[in-house]
Amino acid sequence: MATKRLGPVGWYLTAAASLVVAIMIGAMVGPAGPPAWRVPLAFIDHLPFIDIDSGVSDSEWAIIWQIRMPRVILGGLVGGMLAVAGSSYQGVFRNPLVDPYLLGAASGAGLGATIALTVGRSATESWSFDPVVAVAFIVSVVTVLVTYLVGGAFGGRAQSGATLVLAGVAVVSFTTAIQTFLLQRNVDRVQEVYSWILGRLSTATWADVTLVLPYVAISVLVLMLHRRHLDVMRVGDDEAATLGMNVRRTRLIIIVAATLGTAAVVSVSGLIGFVGLIIPHMIRLAAGVGYRRLIPLSLMIGGAFLILADVPGRVLTSPAETPIGVVTAFLGAPFFIVLLRTRRIGP
């Protein structure tokens, strides 16, 4: 393909430019604040050693910086992390249909949020931080841990990606059953729970960004350092082992890193689908399948995608908002159907 001739530097510059443009567009759109065309001028005005008349008042700048920008930055972190985790999971399991939620991170987070919003709400009202985020993160991590232990118990020393996938299906079904039971007994909380499950960035603050940033940074760093291992694992477990790789240990490290990052972002954003599934495929089609390039491009393109996907939700049903999970599903499902139709997907 002609697009692959850009080379690594060309693709990195293109992805970085896309992310910057997406951040600017995200900062320009909102129900209140200055005219959109003045927002770039406001950012330029706040650069060191630059003083121009942007026409943006202090109150309007507060709207941009305190309301819009946390939402934009959090969207970038969530989208980038989900895309990186999705591409890593697809490499580890050598399955193009794998997403970051395969081993139960999403179902665990959903169960944790349901517990916090229903049976645990009265017990956590005095907490100094959001109990939904904390419980969703903890239960998400525990769910993936249970999945891995179950897969190890039944896979034995020959534990494989297929065993973990089957264990994930079983554990996800179990957590979903518990969540359904809790919702049935707390029908007054159903709307609140589903509002969380459908994904939202509308309540984002700088505190949320600060909370998830360390997890995302550590997870992405670990996965970046294992790009070569992911390329080797594409040939199969046995072949990778003959090349000197400890396949089981490498798989565990990658799963732990991807899971921690996914659990962190999902706990503050809710369940946002398709990002970790379609973004890696888009990059493979355009830039090639090598993980040395795929992981960093997934981080930038995934962040840009989710920032832009959040924009329609702000304006489609104004003054109300469309959940971002609905928007990503609306955009992602047709795209993935096209990928399946052309049969050009692969790990």
Side-chain angles (χ1 to χ4, degrees):
M1 292 180 62
T3 53
K4 293 181 182 179
R5 297 175 184 171
L6 280 176
V9 175
W11 275 112
Y12 294 150
L13 291 176
T14 301
S18 300
L19 181 58
V20 172
V21 171
I23 291 173
M24 190 57 61
I25 293 174
M28 292 167 65
V29 178
W37 65 272
R38 289 191 179 276
V39 174
L41 297 177
F43 278 101
I44 295 174
D45 186 35
H46 282 78
L47 292 175
F49 312 114
I50 297 180
D51 185 13
I52 64 173
D53 183 12
S54 64
V56 175
S57 65
D58 291 342
S59 60
E60 289 175 331
W61 175 250
I63 291 173
I64 297 172
W65 188 252
Q66 298 297 335
I67 297 177
R68 295 184 187 176
M69 283 305 293
R71 180 173 186 161
V72 169
I73 300 302
L74 184 64
L77 290 173
V78 173
M81 185 67 246
L82 291 178
V84 170
S87 61
S88 301
Y89 267 57
Q90 289 164 15
V92 163
F93 295 105
R94 294 187 294 116
N95 187 332
L97 301 180
V98 165
D99 70 2
Y101 304 148
L102 174 72
L103 301 185
S107 63
L111 175 59
T114 302
I115 292 172
L117 291 170
T118 55
V119 297
R121 173 58 80 183
S122 59
T124 58
E125 287 179 348
S126 60
W127 288 17
S128 58
F129 54 89
D130 188 354
V132 177
V133 173
V135 179
F137 175 77
I138 293 171
V139 178
S140 178
V141 173
V142 170
T143 301
V144 176
L145 175 61
V146 170
T147 299
Y148 197 86
L149 293 177
V150 170
F154 290 96
R157 296 186 61 182
Q159 183 192 54
S160 65
T163 306
L164 288 175
V165 170
L166 294 175
V169 171
V171 173
V172 167
S173 298
F174 183 71
T175 56
T176 302
I178 298 175
Q179 183 181 14
T180 303
F181 175 76
L182 293 175
L183 289 176
Q184 186 181 28
R185 296 180 63 86
N186 297 271
V187 293
D188 58 317
R189 297 288 188 178
V190 170
Q191 183 175 356
E192 189 176 1
V193 171
Y194 273 95
S195 176
W196 187 92
I197 289 176
L198 291 174
R200 78 282 186 271
L201 297 172
S202 56
T203 59
T205 65
W206 285 116
D208 294 323
V209 174
T210 304
L211 179 65
V212 304
L213 182 58
Y215 294 96
V216 173
I218 294 173
S219 298
V220 170
L221 177 61
V222 171
L223 295 174
M224 289 277 284
L225 293 175
H226 284 79
R227 288 178 293 172
R228 183 180 64 83
H229 299 82
L230 286 166
D231 276 324
V232 174
M233 293 180 74
R234 287 170 51 206
V235 302
D237 290 0
D238 294 337
E239 292 80 357
T242 60
L243 294 174
M245 178 187 296
N246 187 325
V247 176
R248 189 167 185 175
R249 183 180 65 185
T250 302
R251 177 180 287 119
L252 176 60
I253 292 173
I254 294 173
I255 288 175
V256 168
T259 297
L260 284 176
T262 300
V265 297
V266 167
S267 66
V268 297
S269 70
L271 310 185
I272 301 174
F274 283 99
V275 179
L277 190 61
I278 66 172
I279 296 300
H281 289 310
M282 292 174 59
I283 297 171
R284 289 189 185 97
L285 289 173
V289 300
Y291 278 87
R292 290 177 181 270
R293 190 181 306 178
L294 181 60
I295 296 296
L297 289 179
S298 294
L299 179 65
M300 292 183 281
I301 298 298
F305 172 81
L306 197 62
I307 292 171
L308 293 177
D310 185 42
V311 172
R314 306 184 203 177
V315 297
L316 287 176
T317 56
S318 182
E321 292 200 10
T322 303
I324 190 171
V326 174
V327 177
T328 57
F330 183 81
L331 297 174
F335 179 85
F336 193 67
I337 290 173
V338 172
L339 284 178
L340 290 174
R341 177 66 180 84
T342 58
R343 298 183 180 182
R344 299 180 64 183
I345 61 176

